[in-house]
Amino acid sequence: MRVTASAPAKVILFGEHFVVYGEPALVMAVERRVYVSTEPRTDCKIYIRADGIGASGYYSGEALRTFEAEMGGREAQDRLQPIKVVIEHALRLSKKKVGLNVIVKSAIPVAAGLGSSAAVAVATAAAVGRVLGLELSREEVYQIAYEAEKVIHGTPSGIDPAISTYGGTLIYRRGEGVKPLTLEVEVPLVIGNTGLSRSTGDLVARVRRLKDRYPSIVEPILSVGGKIVAEAIMALKAGDLEALGNLMDINHGLLSAVGVSSGPLERLVYAARRAGALGAKLTGAGGGGCMVALTATGDLDKVARAIEEAGGETLTATRAKEGVRIEEQR
Amino acid sequence: MRVTASAPAKVILFGEHFVVYGEPALVMAVERRVYVSTEPRTDCKIYIRADGIGASGYYSGEALRTFEAEMGGREAQDRLQPIKVVIEHALRLSKKKVGLNVIVKSAIPVAAGLGSSAAVAVATAAAVGRVLGLELSREEVYQIAYEAEKVIHGTPSGIDPAISTYGGTLIYRRGEGVKPLTLEVEVPLVIGNTGLSRSTGDLVARVRRLKDRYPSIVEPILSVGGKIVAEAIMALKAGDLEALGNLMDINHGLLSAVGVSSGPLERLVYAARRAGALGAKLTGAGGGGCMVALTATGDLDKVARAIEEAGGETLTATRAKEGVRIEEQR
């Protein structure tokens, strides 16, 4: 049997950084998917190949502790570790001793704040689970991916595997977990990648320093961030994309105020606005990484071109209504 | 007798736009001056020459109603009108019937939000007053310039002629007028001009529309603006330029949030920050116009160069402790 599962990327529409201080965030799955194909092997090895991160190799032996890199050299093992953790988890659940080939193909840029690694974990859990005959529920797929994220990242919010699993739009608030938001409206987005790497941890620390030094200024900014999410939910429910765009612009200004924007991000943001985007903001940690522009459907290409002319790599995407799914089984 | 008077430009350090809604603004006189030289003529004509606005010509006849352009063609009369109103006011006070040559030389860019026209009015009032033997107090110079602004602009705040008259640093709040802030600290500034014209009225209207549509979001942003001014006053009194720079950065983000920044302004702001500015923000109405960067004294040139490389025209300036003054009398 050979199974292919896919899971979508995510984009934070509102609330990055402010979410650390208890404000809500609004996260949307977008139609850019990771595809994970898997099939049993005749031996007991686990072969993983992920071209997007330039790594492949074989795990074998007692508790799969032996690793032999095929591509990616000495770093391959580290890069493949999150995928291996998911596979091991599924193998444990299945109580089977079987080898697997696991091939990851991704249309999601890596390390750009688009949830690529969570999407890989979710699609891997679904594909491997199916091949092993586990009949996992969505909730179980989510749990396996989330547990793997915990092993790798410490204390992640869990929002990335949730959005890749369930798709659609989710409201997240620290301590309250995720809540789905049912929507009918199409949300045409252009994502622009500055291509500049940044450290999420450094940027989170920068906001905290500013808040600790100027609490009477920064705290109300954070709370305005929460009000923006509330307004954005109303705008989305009403299908009012113009309002949604205005709110993205305001949110971007607040992120600039707390020090997480940058020259390259502003260049892409203003290029998108000038080309007629309804709104544009940085998305994710900021510093470098990605921005996201909301456009009228007919303007997607024009806005994407403007962002490219300003030096960004783009992907256009609409809301992914579906989360993880089995694409093929034969 | 020939008299030369000068008056400084101003830069809004904090509070533009928010001041419309009752928040305080912090305005600083900067060492860029307008020089107005005047002497009596043997006839009764008033000759005004202002190279900076490309206009010169002669007023003569009953109530000086006849105008003959020398430079600037048909628009010269409109451009010189604010200066003529000040001269007429002084002539009325002196009850003298005398001709004057009035030569304006300015080191302040025109229509860039730096208070050039108020500085011209203030220096003209001081120079002409002295030549006419009026012995005007500072308060009287301010009143003449302010009255002239009212004739030309309708209902100005009065802050521009105030800062040009008194120099130093002023706190302004609508309905409360201006309050001087006594400081010892040097405040080295680089002003970067995008060279793009903008309509102050349009930008003020844009903020109002946003506030009317999203009051629960925009009103707290405006009130944060007020808190920034309070913190900035403390930072200035403590000589803490680093804090002042942080507050400028935050204020810039809030101005971006209410929609009055622009791509060209962001380019100059981030160029300045990257070159080591302690803080940088748009100043004045936004859209185009100017930004201002606060620097450590040794970094003025480096920051100015960075702004120029990013396409801005720069002027470096420190706080002008003195406002209007007589430069020469002979």
Side-chain angles (χ1 to χ4, degrees):
Chain A
M1 185 164 63
R2 180 183 165 86
V3 173
T4 301
S6 77
K10 70 114 200 316
V11 63
I12 302 178
L13 283 185
F14 296 95
E16 52 274 274
H17 283 290
F18 303 173
V19 84
V20 173
Y21 303 97
E23 300 299 336
L26 195 60
V27 184
M28 184 172 281
V30 294
E31 269 308 347
R32 285 282 160 160
R33 288 179 175 265
V34 160
Y35 296 84
V36 176
S37 301
T38 186
E39 60 191 355
R41 289 172 61 92
T42 50
D43 57 17
C44 281
K45 289 183 179 175
I46 302 294
Y47 171 70
I48 310 176
R49 175 179 177 127
D51 288 349
I53 52 172
S56 67
Y58 297 85
Y59 294 86
S60 61
E62 165 101 37
L64 299 171
R65 282 209 192 94
T66 308
F67 178 75
E68 185 194 335
E70 178 191 58
M71 167 175 60
R74 293 168 60 147
E75 289 173 18
Q77 188 167 7
D78 279 352
R79 290 186 187 165
L80 296 175
Q81 180 69 5
I83 306 171
K84 185 209 171 198
V85 168
V86 170
I87 298 167
E88 280 186 302
H89 193 141
L91 282 170
R92 249 189 334 268
L93 286 178
S94 77
K95 299 184 179 111
K96 287 183 183 160
K97 181 116 182 98
V98 55
L100 292 167
N101 289 325
V102 178
I103 313 298
V104 178
K105 287 189 179 155
S106 176
I108 309 174
V110 169
L114 301 177
S116 147
S117 61
V120 170
V122 166
T124 302
V128 172
R130 178 65 66 97
V131 148
L132 296 175
L134 284 172
E135 304 203 14
L136 299 172
S137 67
R138 270 177 198 274
E139 178 60 20
E140 288 166 318
V141 167
Y142 165 72
Q143 279 301 336
I144 293 172
Y146 185 32
E147 292 301 320
E149 260 213 331
K150 280 190 199 164
V151 169
I152 309 297
H153 294 302
T155 54
S157 69
I159 192 165
D160 279 19
I163 192 78
S164 277
T165 302
Y166 298 105
T169 310
L170 296 176
I171 304 160
Y172 169 80
R173 195 193 276 265
R174 198 163 210 165
E176 293 179 10
V178 298
K179 212 168 70 181
L181 184 67
T182 311
L183 294 176
E184 290 314 309
V185 65
E186 289 295 330
V187 183
L189 300 174
V190 185
I191 294 161
N193 190 346
T194 62
L196 299 172
S197 65
R198 72 285 182 273
S199 156
T200 300
D202 288 355
L203 288 154
V204 168
R206 169 191 279 235
V207 175
R208 185 170 297 281
R209 271 199 309 275
L210 207 66
K211 176 176 165 294
D212 288 348
R213 183 149 182 198
Y214 309 105
S216 73
I217 290 167
V218 175
E219 280 166 12
I221 292 176
L222 302 174
S223 108
V224 169
K227 285 178 185 148
I228 289 176
V229 175
E231 284 274 349
I233 290 168
M234 289 197 290
L236 272 168
K237 285 184 174 168
D240 186 347
L241 293 189
E242 195 202 321
L244 200 69
N246 290 339
L247 294 165
M248 287 169 71
D249 289 349
I250 299 173
N251 196 159
H252 178 73
L254 300 185
L255 289 163
S256 157
V258 299
V260 298
S261 188
S262 68
L265 279 168
E266 295 293 343
R267 197 156 60 234
L268 305 192
V269 161
Y270 278 93
R273 291 181 187 167
R274 216 163 35 237
L278 299 171
K281 64 183 277 295
L282 71 86
T283 182
C290 288
M291 50 73 69
V292 57
L294 176 72
T295 74
T297 311
D299 288 345
L300 270 176
D301 286 350
K302 197 172 66 174
V303 171
R305 255 199 325 277
I307 292 172
E308 280 161 15
E309 279 162 19
E313 277 182 35
T314 62
L315 40 146
T316 60
T318 50
R319 189 162 57 93
K321 293 184 188 84
E322 267 191 278
V324 65
R325 67 186 178 215
I326 301 295
E327 297 282 345
E328 195 177 31
Q329 177 173 343
R330 62 181 180 195
Chain B
M1 183 163 65
R2 180 181 165 86
V3 173
T4 300
S6 76
K10 71 115 199 319
V11 64
I12 303 178
L13 282 185
F14 297 95
E16 52 275 274
H17 283 289
F18 303 171
V19 84
V20 173
Y21 303 96
E23 299 300 337
L26 194 61
V27 184
M28 185 172 281
V30 294
E31 269 308 349
R32 285 280 160 161
R33 289 179 175 264
V34 160
Y35 295 83
V36 176
S37 299
T38 187
E39 60 193 353
R41 286 173 63 92
T42 49
D43 59 16
C44 281
K45 290 183 178 174
I46 302 294
Y47 172 70
I48 310 176
R49 176 179 178 127
D51 289 348
I53 52 173
S56 66
Y58 296 85
Y59 294 87
S60 59
E62 166 99 36
L64 300 171
R65 282 209 194 94
T66 307
F67 178 75
E68 186 193 334
E70 178 191 58
M71 167 174 61
R74 294 168 59 148
E75 289 173 18
Q77 188 168 7
D78 278 354
R79 291 187 187 163
L80 296 175
Q81 180 69 4
I83 306 171
K84 185 209 170 199
V85 167
V86 170
I87 298 168
E88 277 185 304
H89 194 140
L91 282 169
R92 250 191 332 272
L93 286 179
S94 78
K95 300 184 176 111
K96 286 182 183 159
K97 181 112 181 102
V98 56
L100 292 168
N101 290 325
V102 177
I103 312 299
V104 177
K105 288 190 177 153
S106 177
I108 310 175
V110 169
L114 302 178
S116 146
S117 61
V120 170
V122 166
T124 302
V128 172
R130 177 65 66 96
V131 148
L132 296 175
L134 283 173
E135 303 202 15
L136 300 172
S137 67
R138 269 177 200 272
E139 178 60 20
E140 287 166 320
V141 167
Y142 166 71
Q143 279 301 335
I144 293 171
Y146 186 32
E147 292 301 321
E149 259 214 332
K150 280 190 198 165
V151 170
I152 309 296
H153 295 300
T155 52
S157 70
I159 192 166
D160 279 18
I163 193 78
S164 277
T165 302
Y166 299 106
T169 310
L170 296 177
I171 305 160
Y172 169 80
R173 195 193 278 262
R174 197 162 211 168
E176 294 180 10
V178 297
K179 213 167 71 180
L181 184 67
T182 310
L183 295 177
E184 291 313 309
V185 64
E186 288 297 329
V187 183
L189 301 173
V190 184
I191 294 162
N193 191 346
T194 62
L196 300 171
S197 64
R198 72 283 183 274
S199 157
T200 300
D202 289 354
L203 288 154
V204 169
R206 167 189 279 235
V207 176
R208 186 170 296 281
R209 273 198 308 277
L210 207 66
K211 177 178 165 292
D212 289 348
R213 184 150 181 197
Y214 309 104
S216 73
I217 291 166
V218 176
E219 279 166 13
I221 292 176
L222 301 175
S223 106
V224 171
K227 284 177 185 148
I228 289 176
V229 175
E231 284 274 351
I233 290 168
M234 288 195 292
L236 272 168
K237 285 183 175 167
D240 186 347
L241 293 188
E242 194 202 322
L244 200 70
N246 290 340
L247 295 164
M248 289 171 70
D249 288 349
I250 299 173
N251 195 160
H252 178 74
L254 300 185
L255 289 162
S256 158
V258 299
V260 299
S261 188
S262 68
L265 278 169
E266 296 293 344
R267 198 155 58 235
L268 305 193
V269 162
Y270 278 94
R273 290 180 188 169
R274 216 163 35 238
L278 299 171
K281 63 183 278 293
L282 72 85
T283 181
C290 288
M291 50 71 70
V292 58
L294 176 71
T295 74
T297 312
D299 287 345
L300 269 176
D301 286 349
K302 196 172 65 172
V303 171
R305 254 199 325 275
I307 293 172
E308 281 160 15
E309 278 162 20
E313 279 182 34
T314 61
L315 41 144
T316 58
T318 50
R319 189 162 56 92
K321 294 187 188 82
E322 266 191 279
V324 64
R325 66 184 178 215
I326 300 296
E327 296 282 347
E328 196 177 29
Q329 177 173 341
R330 61 179 181 196

